[in-house]
Amino acid sequence: MSERRTAIVTGAARGIGAAVAKKLAADGYAVAVIDLDEAACAATVDAIEAAGGAPLAVGANVADEASVAEAVERVATELGAPTVLVNNAGITRDNLLFKMTVEDWDSVMNVHLRGSFLMTRAVQKYMVEAKFGRIVNLSSVSALGARGQVNYAAAKAGVQGFTKTLAFELGKFGVTANAIAPGFIETEMTAATAARLGVDFEDFKTMAAAEIPVNRVGQPEDIANTASFLASEGAGFVSGQVIYVAGGPKD
């Protein structure tokens, strides 16, 4: 990059978001590390600074319009106009349909879908002005259907439609939009799923790996490497795509 671009990664305090933030920083971006709790971003920020990067921790609720506006304005002022956005923030509230509460449904929809919408709407003006932008949204293999995740699956399928529409609307401004759909990634979230099911996490990973063609579970860095490519100048002719990073083909 001839000049340092600014990237925003939501849900970047841990897991996939933290790995993406660190990878983009290593690629030369100034990176805004956004999470609900600004203090929780410390580990990610410290790692980026230790590697010589330029991070900024920002506490924001991506599902709240005012919070998003304030966060994006702060990033633009302190780091520079953001032209790369990774919508990674997400939560799970798993349950079978007949047990799922309206709150379980709404909270998942608000973070994944409303959050991606609000962040993208706030950032797109900087991308349009720069005639360059990269939007990377996190979907999931759960978009294809997952028992006990009717809310999460619907949200992640929604992210895919959202992504494809962004590609149509923003392409003429030099902005691409793509989605990454991870398979089984070893994170605190999958560990929590194992705990909910009453299964030892190591056994859970072993069982998962046996069903994956490359014979291992994914790591956050697997997603970070894909995000790195999609955010790059070289990915300018890739837009509106859903890339399943799952160790094998998905429908």
Side-chain angles (χ1 to χ4, degrees), residues 207-218:
M207 289 186 291
E211 301 297 320
I212 298 171
V214 301
N215 201 37
R216 68 171 176 88
V217 299

Side-chain angles (χ1 to χ4, degrees), residues 132-134 176-178 226-239:
F132 176 90
R134 299 286 184 264
T176 65
N178 293 284
T226 305
S228 171
F229 166 68
L230 293 174
S232 71
E233 291 193 28
F237 206 54
V238 180
S239 196

Side-chain angles (χ1 to χ4, degrees), residues 48-158:
I48 291 172
E49 286 180 340
L56 173 69
V58 181
N61 177 1
V62 297
D64 180 81
E65 187 175 12
S67 181
V68 165
E70 184 179 333
V72 172
E73 187 173 334
R74 183 180 164 202
V75 172
T77 300
E78 297 188 32
L79 283 186
T83 54
V84 173
L85 171 63
V86 181
N87 285 309
N88 168 75
I91 61 170
T92 54
R93 296 290 184 269
D94 295 351
N95 226 324
L96 294 173
L97 176 64
F98 76 99
K99 292 181 181 178
M100 187 168 289
T101 66
V102 171
E103 186 181 5
D104 289 338
W105 176 270
D106 286 348
S107 57
V108 168
M109 289 295 162
N110 284 343
V111 175
H112 292 273
L113 280 178
R114 182 183 171 95
S116 294
F117 158 68
L118 289 173
M119 286 298 306
T120 305
R121 191 183 64 175
V123 172
Q124 59 84 28
K125 64 180 180 182
Y126 297 102
M127 297 179 174
V128 170
E129 287 172 10
K131 295 291 189 287
F132 176 90
R134 299 286 184 264
I135 300 164
V136 181
N137 298 319
L138 268 291
S139 181
S140 168
V141 294
S142 294
L144 302 172
R147 179 180 173 85
Q149 291 193 316
V150 70
N151 50 0
Y152 188 77
K156 289 307 195 183

